[in-house]
Amino acid sequence: IKSHVPTTFARILGWTQFTNTVEAIARANITPPVSNWLNAALVAVNADPNGNSCFKNTGNPTVNIHGSGIFVNCGGSSALFLNGTADISMDGDAEVHGCANNEDFDISPGDITCSVPQQTLNASTFAGVPTTLPAPTCTNAGSQSGNTMYPGYFNSSVIISTTTTFTPGTYCLNAGMTMSGGSSINGTGTVRLVMGNNDLSFRSSGNSFVDLEVYTQNGNLDVPGSGELTANRLRFFSTGSGDFSAGNHAIINSSDAYLYFESGNFDTQAQATVNLQAPPSGDTFAGYLIHYPWSNTNAMTLNGGTGCVFTGTILVPHSDLTFNGGSGFELHG
C-alpha cells in the first residue's frame, strides 16, 4: 500500500510530502487433517484403559498404509503389539492411547506416538452412518413359467431345477427357495429377493446378476464351496441374525457391494475367492463395504485365498476383527 503524506514543518526544508509504503504478505496453507482416529486408515476403538494387543500383528504380515496411519484407543503398555517379523510402513503415524510393545519398531515414514488422548466412542459416534433399507413388499402374486420367474409374492416354496432367469422386480419368497442339482439363477435388471427367515444357497456356478438386493431377517445367504455369485451391484441387508457366508473355493464378485448385519455375521473360509468393492460416490452407502452397527458385537474373521480383495470401509466398531488371508489377500480401505 502506497500513500502520500503532506508535510508540515518539513516544508521549511523543501519537503512538501513523504511517500509512505507498507507491504504485507499473507500465506495460506492447506492445514493437514487433525491427528485423531477419524483420519486413521485402521482403527481399534476399544477404550479399555488397561487393554493390550487391541491392535495386533502376528505371523509375518506385510502392511502398507498410504496417506494415513492407525489409531489404537486402548490404554495398555502393549495396546499396539507388533511382531518383530512384520513388514509395516505408514505414511502417517501409529497413534496409541497407551503404548506399543516395541516403541522403536520401524514403521517409516511414519512414527509410533504413545499417550495420545483417548477418544470417547459409543453408539452415538456412528449414528450418522447409513445402515439399511426397509424390505420392499409384494402386493401381487408372482409366477414361474419354465425357466423364467416373474416378480410378486410366493406362498409356496420355489424350486429351481435348471438355469432360471429372474425378470426385474421384487420377489417375496415367503416359503423360501431351493436350488437343486447344478441349477443357477440370473437377473436381467434389478432383482430384489425378500427372504424373511428363509435360507438361500447358491450351490453352483453361473449365478449372475446385473443388480441384486437381498433382504433377510433371520435367513442365511450361503455360497458353498462349489458355488459362485457375481453381481455388478450387490446389496445384502440382514435385520436379524441372518448371515452371509462363503465356503472353501466359493467365488463372490461385485464391483458395487454393501453388506449390512444387524446381529448376523459375514464369514469367509480359507480358500474362498471374494472380490468386493464398496459403492461409488453419490450412493447412499458410498465407501462402506461391510457394516456391523454398534449393537452387533459378533467377532468377524476375514479368511481368504490369494485372490481375495476387499475395497472399502469395514465398519465393525464393537467387534473383534481378524484379517487372516493368504499372501495375496488385499484390503483397500
Side-chain angles (χ1 to χ4, degrees):
I1 300 174
K2 182 178 290 187
S3 62
H4 301 288
V5 182
T7 61
T8 303
F9 299 107
R11 292 176 183 272
I12 300 172
L13 302 176
W15 296 339
T16 59
Q17 66 178 18
F18 289 113
T19 299
N20 186 38
T21 302
V22 178
E23 181 178 282
I25 298 175
R27 291 184 174 88
N29 276 337
I30 297 175
T31 305
V34 176
S35 181
N36 62 33
W37 73 279
L38 288 170
N39 299 300
L42 294 169
V43 181
V45 306
N46 188 345
D48 184 347
N50 301 307
N52 287 312
S53 296
C54 297
F55 192 111
K56 183 177 183 180
N57 286 268
T58 61
N60 56 345
T62 299
V63 181
N64 300 306
I65 299 179
H66 304 289
S68 189
I70 67 173
F71 181 85
V72 185
N73 209 33
C74 283
S77 59
S78 297
L80 172 61
F81 186 91
L82 300 170
N83 190 316
T85 59
D87 181 8
I88 303 173
S89 67
M90 304 180 195
D91 291 340
D93 293 337
E95 299 186 320
V96 191
H97 174 56
C99 205
N101 65 310
N102 183 356
E103 195 174 349
D104 296 323
F105 192 96
D106 183 15
I107 62 169
S108 57
D111 294 314
I112 297 175
T113 304
C114 296
S115 302
V116 173
Q118 192 173 55
Q119 300 292 317
T120 300
L121 304 170
N122 50 44
S124 63
T125 306
F126 306 94
V129 179
T131 55
T132 186
L133 295 178
T137 58
C138 301
T139 56
N140 299 314
S143 62
Q144 181 176 5
S145 176
N147 60 355
T148 304
M149 298 290 296
Y150 298 96
Y153 62 80
F154 295 81
N155 292 328
S156 299
S157 179
V158 174
I159 306 298
I160 304 296
S161 57
T162 186
T163 300
T164 302
T165 298
F166 280 60
T167 57
T170 299
Y171 295 79
C172 297
L173 305 172
N174 299 331
M177 180 170 70
T178 301
M179 300 176 64
S180 62
S183 63
S184 63
I185 61 177
N186 60 78
T188 57
T190 300
V191 174
R192 301 179 182 90
L193 303 180
V194 183
M195 296 165 48
N197 297 322
N198 301 296
D199 297 340
L200 175 60
S201 182
F202 292 105
R203 300 180 180 278
S204 65
S205 61
N207 299 294
S208 178
F209 295 84
V210 173
D211 187 349
L212 175 64
E213 297 180 2
V214 178
Y215 297 82
T216 180
Q217 187 174 7
N218 301 315
N220 302 315
L221 180 63
D222 177 37
V223 184
S226 59
E228 178 180 350
L229 172 60
T230 298
N232 294 349
R233 178 181 178 273
L234 175 64
R235 298 290 182 271
F236 179 82
F237 302 110
S238 170
T239 55
S241 60
D243 299 337
F244 188 170
S245 59
N248 280 320
H249 303 291
I251 299 174
I252 302 176
N253 292 299
S254 177
S255 58
D256 179 355
Y258 173 73
L259 314 177
Y260 175 78
F261 301 84
E262 184 72 33
S263 60
N265 270 315
F266 180 62
D267 177 51
T268 58
Q269 296 301 308
Q271 299 303 315
T273 300
V274 182
N275 192 328
L276 297 176
Q277 183 172 335
S281 177
D283 189 276
T284 300
F285 307 102
Y288 292 98
L289 181 63
I290 302 172
H291 185 188
Y292 288 13
W294 185 265
S295 58
N296 188 344
T297 59
N298 290 325
M300 180 196 293
T301 299
L302 289 181
N303 292 299
T306 58
C308 278
V309 181
F310 294 89
T311 304
T313 295
I314 297 175
L315 182 63
V316 289
H318 218 179
S319 304
D320 289 339
L321 174 61
T322 301
F323 299 112
N324 191 35
S327 60
F329 180 101
E330 297 183 23
L331 168 66
H332 301 269

